[in-house]
Amino acid sequence: MNQPHPNGPKPARITAGRIGLYAFLVGAALFFLLPLYTMVVTSLKSMDEIRLGQIFALPATLDFSAWVTAWSGACMGTVCVGIRSGFWNSVAITIPSVALSVFIGAVNGYALSLWRPRGANALFGLLMTGGLIPYQIFLYPMVRAMANIGLYNSLAGIILVHVIFGLPLVTLLFRNYFVSVPEELCKAARVDGAGFWRIFFEIMLPIALPMVVVVSMLQFTGIWNDFLLGLVFAGRDNLPMTVQLNNIVNTTMGERTYNVNMAATILTAIVPLAIYFLSGRWFVRGIAAGAVKG
Amino acid sequence: MSVKRKRNLSATIALLPTWFAAVVVFVGTMAWSIRLSFTNSTLFPSSTYVGLAQYSKLFASAKWLASLQNVLVFGVLYVAGCLVLGFLLAAALDRKIRFESAFRTIFLYPYAMSFVVTGLIWQWMLNPTLGIQASVRSLGWEGFVLDWVVNRDMAIYALVLAGVWQGAGLVMVIALAGIRGIEAEQWKAARIDGIPVWRIYVSIILPQLGPALAAAGMLLAMGVIKTYDIVVAMTNGGPGNATEVPAKFIMDNLFGRQNLGLATAGATVLVLGVIIAVAPFRYAMHMRNQAKGAA
């Protein structure tokens, strides 16, 4: 048990403790990887092979037909058009929602922390309370209100809902970021005659770029993975991928095509996973910021 | 004064949409829902007040009571499971491990995926006729049973398993950042005193991670109250009421059973639950900040 702190030198000897440590980590890694592995091999098998009940076995031959079906032919109830439309719906919902909520959140954070207009604290308190409360209490009146203004079951409607329900978190993160920006910077710019918006666009937004990336990451995965709001507000023509996926898998009539289901599941997970693998550190910072500050 | 007014005007205008969202959407719709919970609304809202009748109906409903019990069992085990596994993973990764970043990537990737995806993956793995159970049986262990998703007594644990798989990585990231932030001096001092490594983690590191782990636990607990997608995807509340949860009960009554009064009463109870759960934390933070200010 002569292990140094991470700052110290590498341990020279292999001890029972080290072996146990690696055994634990490798075991945990298997637990975390097994579902991903299972999804991938299942999606590549034929139904005959799946019926053998060898969930972990490698596919006998690589068969991508389940992927093709999942993308363009899988059935949701009686409609068999695949998850393709859900994918594009999710893109159409997520991109404007992220852009808008990040922009409004940045403006809010900047106004609340550096300008502190009257009522700033009250607004912030209201937002934070709103962020804590379960969505279920907002849903029915929101549906009615959206129907009244003609936005229920529309793309614009679901985007608006995502922006509104994203406000508490994005505002919080930007406010905390701008609080650490020296107030002198703002004052100096004001002395030079710059106004609210000019200071925002020319000084504060560039300074906050790292936060913009972090919050965008957080919002992107959050909105892409949303199920509840999409289900309630998007309407049949704009259902996001998560809702369509659940319909494909859980409302199937007749025999379940597990290979198609797993291919569709992978297709739904692939965008957030790609973001996670490609952006690594930023993603981690995003969820850590969301977790610790939220 | 007039200059200040003018300066603040743009800021005030910039915040107007957010004011609108906060007051109309967050406060207004909540008030509307609470009001509905005191009426006999069914498919359409009604203005006939019935006092607490919806609430007594709610708490007489076996499904609602089961859902409260389920969310409690799920919540405690899920949050505890994520915290324990996440901390263990972080502590293990802190021991100068080869391929540390590969391990970190593996432990966190499920967190990038939605609860729907998580629920469907585990539904497949735990499928008794074709999943892990069938696979192990075909290896010769005929009596092997892993039928959690279809077993009334075990279905809730299937949800816990899937939830911990999804969320433990988050705790690991937070705990690892916390551990790395602890000064090396403390390590040296503890090592000189001959304290075994595991004791250092338990007695010195863990207490200092308290606030970070509490924040992570809070976040997970808030998620528990909203638990909906993973249940819909994995078990749809079944078998029987074994995995019914309040959020799903409310949704079913809102949109499926056209039972507005009952659904809004349930939602009001959830909101009260959140306030009761969060208030002590907020109060403690407020007191701590005041103490800091005074010092």
Side-chain angles (χ1 to χ4, degrees):
Chain A
M1 293 300 285
N2 194 18
Q3 288 148 18
H5 182 263
N7 297 323
K10 284 204 172 187
R13 285 173 300 135
I14 299 168
T15 62
R18 297 292 296 169
I19 294 171
L21 199 58
Y22 276 100
F24 169 64
L25 283 171
V26 170
L30 283 178
F31 167 67
F32 281 93
L33 281 176
L34 204 56
L36 188 64
Y37 166 81
T38 310
M39 281 164 84
V40 174
V41 294
T42 304
S43 74
L44 295 173
K45 288 175 184 170
S46 66
M47 274 312 290
D48 286 336
E49 221 181 326
I50 288 171
R51 283 189 210 100
L52 298 175
Q54 306 279 355
I55 194 170
F56 302 128
L58 283 168
T61 53
L62 287 187
D63 179 2
F64 286 92
S65 58
W67 285 70
V68 177
T69 311
W71 180 249
S72 55
C75 303
M76 292 152 244
T78 51
V79 187
C80 299
V81 292
I83 204 158
R84 184 176 44 182
S85 68
F87 178 87
W88 293 115
N89 289 343
S90 282
V91 170
I93 292 169
T94 306
I95 289 175
S97 301
V98 171
L100 269 172
S101 68
V102 169
F103 175 74
I104 297 176
V107 172
N108 285 349
Y110 157 74
L112 286 172
S113 60
L114 293 169
W115 292 80
R116 282 181 234 112
R118 185 173 299 177
N121 286 335
L123 177 61
F124 189 65
L126 262 182
L127 273 185
M128 291 309 107
T129 311
L132 287 176
I133 287 173
Y135 288 162
Q136 275 77 9
I137 194 107
F138 306 127
L139 289 184
Y140 178 76
M142 273 291 270
V143 167
R144 290 292 300 261
M146 300 285 279
N148 279 337
I149 55 175
L151 286 178
Y152 183 51
N153 285 347
S154 75
L155 189 59
I158 178 68
I159 290 168
L160 180 65
V161 168
H162 275 303
V163 171
I164 289 174
F165 286 127
L167 276 180
L169 185 62
V170 292
T171 302
L172 175 74
L173 292 172
F174 277 109
R175 177 184 164 274
N176 289 353
Y177 189 86
F178 282 119
V179 160
S180 65
V181 172
E183 225 170 319
E184 285 67 35
L185 210 59
C186 202
K187 282 191 184 136
R190 271 192 242 170
V191 171
D192 288 346
F196 179 86
W197 291 109
R198 210 165 143 214
I199 297 175
F200 177 71
F201 282 110
E202 292 183 12
I203 302 173
M204 295 305 164
L205 203 54
I207 289 180
L209 208 58
M211 202 64 208
V212 170
V213 177
V214 163
V215 177
S216 302
M217 218 69 84
L218 192 66
Q219 282 293 90
F220 195 102
T221 41
I223 295 171
W224 187 277
N225 287 340
D226 157 73
F227 178 79
L228 180 69
L229 298 178
L231 178 71
V232 175
F233 292 99
R236 283 183 69 89
D237 297 335
N238 308 299
L239 287 180
M241 218 176 176
T242 46
V243 178
Q244 290 202 352
L245 172 69
N246 188 58
N247 288 347
I248 287 176
V249 177
N250 283 331
T251 61
T252 316
M253 288 160 246
E255 191 194 34
R256 284 191 171 195
T257 46
Y258 294 103
N259 49 359
V260 174
N261 291 355
M262 284 300 115
T265 310
I266 298 171
L267 285 169
T268 308
I270 220 160
V271 171
L273 278 183
I275 288 181
Y276 171 60
F277 287 119
L278 295 177
S279 78
R281 212 160 273 271
W282 289 102
F283 178 89
V284 173
R285 257 190 243 177
I287 64 153
V292 176
K293 305 280 172 56
Chain B
M1 188 62 206
S2 68
V3 177
K4 192 166 183 239
R5 267 279 152 74
K6 201 175 146 217
R7 277 203 315 243
N8 283 352
L9 189 64
S10 322
T12 306
I13 293 170
L15 288 175
L16 278 182
T18 306
W19 268 112
F20 178 81
V23 174
V24 175
V25 179
F26 292 151
V27 179
T29 60
M30 182 158 60
W32 188 347
S33 278
I34 294 173
R35 213 193 63 171
L36 283 175
S37 75
F38 294 108
T39 66
N40 65 355
S41 308
T42 49
L43 173 55
F44 292 105
S46 133
S47 48
T48 310
Y49 286 89
V50 292
L52 292 172
Q54 299 286 9
Y55 291 86
S56 33
K57 200 171 148 199
L58 188 68
F59 282 95
S61 151
K63 208 174 187 122
W64 173 255
L65 294 175
S67 77
L68 287 182
Q69 196 193 337
N70 291 337
V71 84
L72 199 68
V73 172
F74 171 76
V76 169
L77 293 176
Y78 162 73
V79 173
C82 286
L83 288 177
V84 171
L85 183 57
F87 175 74
L88 286 177
L89 291 173
L93 283 181
D94 187 46
R95 304 306 305 157
K96 274 276 170 196
I97 292 295
R98 267 169 194 274
F99 312 115
E100 186 200 312
S101 80
F103 278 119
R104 257 189 292 134
T105 306
I106 291 169
F107 298 150
L108 185 61
Y109 88 88
Y111 195 73
M113 308 206 288
S114 64
F115 274 126
V116 174
V117 165
T118 302
L120 294 178
I121 298 173
W122 282 96
Q123 187 198 61
W124 172 230
M125 303 263 293
L126 297 174
N127 178 320
T129 47
L130 296 170
I132 299 174
Q133 176 177 301
S135 231
V136 173
R137 282 187 181 179
S138 72
L139 292 177
W141 186 2
E142 294 293 341
F144 181 79
V145 176
L146 188 67
D147 59 349
W148 290 7
V149 285
V150 295
N151 182 331
R152 270 170 189 273
D153 297 327
M154 299 305 288
I156 195 82
Y157 304 109
L159 286 180
V160 172
L161 177 66
V164 170
W165 177 81
Q166 208 253 4
L170 170 77
V171 177
M172 175 209 65
V173 167
I174 294 168
L176 194 57
I179 292 176
R180 294 278 154 87
I182 289 169
E183 289 153 31
E185 296 304 315
Q186 294 189 21
W187 267 98
K188 284 185 192 144
R191 298 298 301 152
I192 289 167
D193 288 347
I195 302 171
V197 171
W198 69 268
R199 276 298 306 258
I200 299 178
Y201 277 103
V202 172
S203 305
I204 299 174
I205 307 284
L206 197 53
Q208 294 186 63
L209 286 183
L213 289 180
M218 261 293 263
L219 187 83
L220 294 172
M222 298 302 304
V224 168
I225 294 168
K226 295 175 183 165
T227 299
Y228 175 71
D229 333 11
I230 193 168
V231 176
V232 170
M234 200 162 160
T235 60
N236 204 22
N241 290 338
T243 54
E244 196 63 48
V245 286
K248 185 173 165 295
F249 178 95
I250 295 166
M251 287 295 288
D252 289 349
N253 280 290
L254 267 189
F255 299 106
R257 294 162 195 262
Q258 327 284 15
N259 217 336
L260 263 181
L262 194 65
T264 48
T268 307
V269 171
L270 271 200
V271 169
L272 275 176
V274 171
I275 291 171
I276 291 168
V278 172
F281 283 96
R282 292 275 141 176
Y283 185 69
M285 271 166 73
H286 179 71
M287 294 308 280
R288 208 175 56 184
N289 288 344
Q290 279 203 332
K292 261 188 206 158

